[in-house]
Amino acid sequence: MKDKLLIFTFSPVQGFIEKSRKLRDLFASSYILSFLTEKLVEFVEKSGCGEVIYPQPFKETEEALANYPNRLVVKVKEDCKDIGEELKKEFEKTWEELVFGVIGLLSLPERARLQIEMQTRNYFNVFYHLQDFVDKEGWLKELNINNIQNIPEADSYGYTYDLAERYLGAKKTLKPYKALMYLDKDPEGKYPDGCTLCGERPALAVDWETFVQENKNLMENTEKLCGVCLVKRHAVKVFKNIGVNIPVFQSTKDYAWAGLKVCLKKMYENKKAIEIMKRIEEAIKSVADLEKPQPLYKVSADYLDPYELRIRKKEEPTLADKYDELIQLLEMFYKTENIKLPSNSYFALLMADGDNMGQWLGLQSELRKEKLSEDFHKQFSKSLSEFAHSMYEESKNCDLWLKLIYAGGDDLLAIAHPSVIIKFAKKARNKFKKVVDKELSKPKPTMSAGIVIGHEKENLRFLLEQVREAEKQAKKEGRNRLCIRVITRGSSPVSLVLKWQEVGILNNLIKDFRENKISQNMPYALKQELSIYGDKTSIENKAVIEAVLKRLLKRKSELEKLSFKIDELMNFIKVDNKKEKYLNIEKLLNLFYIARFLASREEKNEAVSV
């Protein structure tokens, strides 16, 4: 066979995405990376130089979705030996066009334009390897393997893919040095401030006060951005100009206040209090610089919060009268309609991906039902694309409660209200198992996920780091698990790792707390009683722990009406492995704490169950 196999990738990815302080930054980062890969796929298809094996084309959606990974596998025709360099040039061209598209839309001084060019030119690293197809003998020769016993069987595609992966991995360890050039001082001899978004590069030489006023809809008063972060923030304008329907990501508060927004939407549908809501729409338009009035459930929740509006009033004194009018209208509306605003509200992030994904495409895998072949890789890629699309469709059923940020390959990132996030995570896990299992695997495919629940005022970048750590913790404790991490303001994270079949225990406990079948101070009483045992205790103390638990539940709950049994909880915390047997006290305490916390989110319009 004279064809070749190309694997193409680029970086950074994680750092590019996680340097986000707002949801629109998070989505823009994810979508830019997806857009770059999508353009490479289109280039291969138009050039006729080969066939894309991974990723498989994604079904069209109503609005833009970040759904392509930063990776390309292409079966290349014999006469297209320069395809790697051509794709590299296409990648650089696409990124450059996006950069200059942003520059062209903004009013920037020449010095700032030069800084953007310098900072963006060397940002991404591209890696690829083009491998001639080899059979088993060629694979052994290339790797200099003399012992031919226990060599996994595959067709030429499998051996070629394995070889290409090895060479690409080696190339990625030798990252080229690219000087990050910028102008040291401004014309007045002052060093520039650092970028307030990434903190890695100097901010552009711009009159930021004027620039922010000219771009109020995308900039905050205190922000000063570098070239890369400016492109991330304003790329949405370029995408809209080329006909891409970019979804609206207002703020984390919109998901923390989802219950209120759903309530407002129902009022519109029932044509209740329409007159005053129309007046509020006009008042919001005058301070939010909107082109036209928007229904209240579509505007940023910041403009529905009188407390937040009073802060903005101080920051924009020229609009003080308009803010006063809006605040007065909102307070009158809430009082008249007996609407209680959320207080101390939280939102949730979900990050999930398939387990052992690297093994699926390894030469020797216990996961596959067949040898590694081109047909298997194509079908596997189609299954991942189908999974991502099905989760996008599922997210649309969540209305204002949840939004999918990224769904590409086996990876998933979503933001939601705490009341719906666990249910959505379980649906993702079940869908992944169902879609990928189509005659492809021996054991059922599994997925691990991390959920972080944080305050609406918490730093988004910090929570992104935490949700990634939560996902890692789920995998570290055995994979096929869910890790829930609650971070209240001023407190350390509280984590709970569950097997998927154990999620029902948590849901039952949440239900009992919500229905006041268990006293709200039960978690604290339990912690006080069991503090002498530390995080874990010997299995020999099972009877004592069970007695303490039963006694407290008798005192602080309607024991006969509970949705769970004490035996369930004891089995839940029992650890029985080859090294030792013990009871995980910390897991029991965190279970009660997190269940109570999630139940409390369902008060004051913060979490109307769906």
Side-chain angles (χ1 to χ4, degrees):
M1 184 180 291
K2 296 182 180 180
D3 290 340
K4 300 176 184 292
L5 192 68
L6 173 79
I7 305 181
F8 185 102
T9 187
F10 58 90
S11 65
V13 171
Q14 185 173 323
F16 187 71
I17 292 174
E18 288 189 351
K19 297 297 187 296
S20 302
R21 61 184 298 179
K22 293 185 176 294
L23 284 180
R24 60 192 179 199
D25 297 328
L26 183 58
F27 175 78
S29 304
S30 301
Y31 187 73
I32 287 171
L33 298 175
S34 175
F35 180 78
L36 291 169
T37 301
E38 184 179 6
K39 290 303 174 184
L40 295 179
V41 171
E42 291 177 2
F43 178 82
V44 173
E45 293 174 343
K46 289 179 181 178
S47 69
C49 281
E51 179 185 6
V52 176
I53 305 295
Y54 176 82
Q56 288 294 304
F58 195 84
K59 296 178 183 178
E60 290 188 6
T61 55
E62 296 174 3
E63 56 187 12
L65 178 66
N67 49 43
Y68 282 95
N70 66 317
R71 183 179 181 82
L72 212 62
V73 179
V74 183
K75 184 180 178 183
V76 181
K77 293 181 179 178
E78 179 186 5
D79 56 347
C80 296
K81 60 182 180 180
D82 296 327
I83 183 65
E85 281 301 309
E86 291 175 6
L87 278 174
K88 181 178 179 181
K89 290 177 182 177
E90 182 66 20
F91 176 88
E92 291 170 347
K93 174 188 169 188
T94 305
W95 172 236
E96 187 178 89
E97 287 176 347
L98 185 58
V99 170
F100 280 94
V102 169
I103 292 175
L105 291 172
L106 300 175
S107 177
L108 295 167
E110 185 60 32
R111 179 182 173 83
R113 290 170 180 258
L114 180 59
Q115 283 180 302
I116 295 175
E117 291 179 43
M118 288 180 172
Q119 292 176 354
T120 58
R121 185 184 303 136
N122 293 328
Y123 183 75
F124 285 108
N125 288 312
V126 170
F127 305 93
Y128 70 86
H129 181 74
L130 188 63
Q131 177 64 47
D132 290 322
F133 268 78
V134 297
D135 56 14
K136 183 177 182 179
E137 294 300 321
W139 180 79
L140 290 169
K141 182 179 179 181
E142 193 76 23
L143 296 177
N144 194 25
I145 297 176
N146 296 319
N147 182 4
I148 60 173
Q149 294 181 352
N150 300 320
I151 298 299
E153 293 297 326
D155 63 13
S156 60
Y157 179 90
Y159 290 118
T160 304
Y161 180 81
D162 178 77
L163 210 53
E165 279 282 20
R166 292 170 185 264
Y167 279 117
L168 182 67
K171 290 180 179 180
K172 288 169 69 175
T173 63
L174 300 172
K175 294 183 179 180
Y177 171 74
K178 295 181 179 180
L180 192 62
M181 297 181 294
Y182 58 88
L183 306 180
D184 291 335
K185 298 180 181 180
D186 64 20
E188 297 180 1
K190 298 178 181 178
Y191 286 99
D193 294 327
C195 174
T196 56
L197 186 54
C198 70
E200 295 179 350
R201 290 168 292 276
L204 302 175
V206 170
D207 178 355
W208 284 105
E209 185 175 345
T210 302
F211 185 83
V212 167
Q213 287 303 311
E214 292 174 349
N215 298 274
K216 274 181 63 176
N217 58 332
L218 288 175
M219 298 290 297
E220 297 292 333
N221 291 334
T222 58
E223 288 186 316
K224 297 179 180 180
L225 305 183
C226 67
V228 174
C229 292
L230 190 80
V231 171
K232 286 166 58 174
R233 179 66 60 81
H234 292 265
V236 60
K237 296 180 180 179
V238 178
F239 290 131
K240 286 183 178 179
N241 286 345
I242 61 176
V244 178
N245 183 18
I246 299 294
V248 176
F249 284 92
Q250 305 274 16
S251 70
T252 56
K253 193 185 189 82
D254 284 84
Y255 300 92
W257 283 37
L260 174 65
K261 286 203 153 193
V262 169
C263 175
L264 294 173
K265 186 177 181 181
K266 289 179 179 178
M267 292 179 71
Y268 276 95
E269 292 170 351
N270 297 330
K271 297 182 178 180
K272 184 180 180 182
I274 292 295
E275 183 178 340
I276 188 170
M277 287 197 292
K278 291 293 183 184
R279 291 172 62 191
I280 296 172
E281 288 175 18
E282 290 290 344
I284 291 175
K285 174 180 175 292
S286 66
V287 297
D289 197 26
L290 300 174
E291 292 182 3
K292 60 181 180 180
Q294 297 287 329
L296 299 187
Y297 63 89
K298 288 187 176 183
V299 301
S300 172
D302 290 334
Y303 291 106
L304 302 176
D305 184 356
Y307 176 80
E308 188 71 33
L309 291 172
R310 288 187 173 93
I311 295 175
R312 288 178 178 245
K313 173 186 169 182
K314 294 179 181 178
E315 295 174 349
E316 300 178 84
T318 57
L319 298 175
D321 291 342
K322 293 181 178 180
Y323 275 112
D324 284 338
E325 179 187 1
L326 175 56
I327 292 168
Q328 185 178 1
L329 284 170
L330 283 171
E331 290 180 339
M332 180 174 65
F333 170 59
Y334 295 145
K335 183 177 180 180
T336 303
E337 299 301 323
N338 195 29
I339 295 174
K340 295 182 180 179
L341 294 184
S343 60
N344 197 28
S345 46
Y346 287 75
F347 70 97
L349 289 170
L350 164 69
M351 184 175 286
D353 69 8
D355 293 324
N356 300 309
M357 296 308 292
Q359 291 187 26
W360 283 91
L361 300 175
L363 272 182
Q364 190 169 5
S365 175
E366 297 178 355
L367 299 176
R368 292 193 310 269
K369 290 182 178 179
E370 58 185 86
K371 295 186 295 184
L372 178 58
S373 65
E374 180 181 339
D375 287 342
F376 172 84
H377 200 168
K378 285 180 183 176
Q379 184 57 48
F380 185 66
S381 300
K382 288 178 181 177
S383 296
L384 294 180
S385 180
E386 183 182 340
F387 163 71
H389 185 267
S390 66
M391 293 316 300
Y392 169 76
E393 293 296 325
E394 186 66 45
S395 70
K396 293 195 298 184
N397 297 329
C398 296
D399 196 20
L400 299 169
W401 296 100
L402 179 144
K403 194 85 169 181
L404 204 57
I405 298 171
Y406 176 81
D410 62 309
D411 293 327
L412 206 65
L413 179 62
I415 183 168
H417 190 278
S419 64
V420 302
I421 198 68
I422 296 176
K423 183 178 179 181
F424 188 78
K426 285 192 68 176
K427 285 185 177 180
R429 179 254 187 177
N430 293 336
K431 182 66 70 173
F432 180 78
K433 184 171 66 173
K434 180 180 179 181
V435 171
V436 180
D437 186 43
K438 291 181 178 178
E439 303 301 324
L440 294 177
S441 65
K442 290 179 181 178
K444 296 288 184 182
T446 62
M447 170 172 275
S448 295
I451 290 174
V452 161
I453 300 169
H455 194 272
E456 63 171 88
K457 297 289 186 182
E458 187 60 83
N459 183 286
L460 180 61
R461 187 188 302 179
F462 168 69
L463 294 180
L464 285 170
E465 293 171 355
Q466 287 294 311
V467 75
R468 189 173 296 280
E469 287 301 314
E471 184 193 43
K472 289 179 181 177
Q473 187 176 347
K475 290 182 179 293
K476 183 179 179 181
E477 296 200 15
R479 295 188 173 88
N480 195 24
R481 284 165 168 77
L482 170 67
C483 175
I484 303 172
R485 186 170 291 187
V486 171
I487 307 175
T488 57
R489 302 205 82 184
S491 300
S492 300
V494 176
S495 298
L496 177 67
V497 178
L498 304 167
K499 297 176 182 177
W500 287 105
Q501 59 268 30
E502 294 175 335
V503 173
I505 296 175
L506 175 63
N507 286 335
N508 286 337
L509 206 54
I510 292 171
K511 178 175 178 290
D512 289 343
F513 271 113
R514 186 176 64 240
E515 295 176 357
N516 294 317
K517 293 179 182 177
I518 304 179
S519 170
Q520 296 296 302
N521 71 351
M522 175 67 185
Y524 308 105
L526 190 62
K527 183 177 181 179
Q528 186 175 7
E529 291 276 356
L530 300 180
S531 60
I532 60 172
Y533 295 100
D535 292 342
K536 62 182 182 180
T537 187
S538 170
I539 197 77
E540 296 175 356
N541 291 322
K542 180 182 176 183
V544 178
I545 303 299
E546 188 172 353
V548 170
L549 185 59
K550 189 172 183 179
R551 174 169 54 81
L552 285 175
L553 285 173
K554 277 185 176 180
R555 283 172 45 199
K556 296 182 177 297
S557 71
E558 301 176 49
L559 188 58
E560 68 283 355
K561 295 182 180 180
L562 295 180
S563 305
F564 60 90
K565 296 179 180 179
I566 294 178
D567 286 346
E568 280 185 307
L569 295 184
M570 297 309 298
N571 289 329
F572 175 75
I573 64 173
K574 181 181 177 182
V575 177
D576 188 355
N577 55 36
K578 295 179 181 179
K579 295 182 178 180
E580 58 181 328
K581 297 180 180 181
Y582 63 89
L583 297 177
N584 192 333
I585 301 299
E586 182 184 27
K587 188 174 181 179
L588 179 65
L589 297 178
N590 290 354
L591 172 70
F592 272 87
Y593 175 85
I594 289 177
R596 176 192 174 278
F597 178 87
L598 290 173
S600 70
R601 296 305 99 205
E602 303 198 8
E603 301 172 357
K604 302 178 183 178
N605 273 337
E606 289 187 24
V608 181
S609 298
V610 293

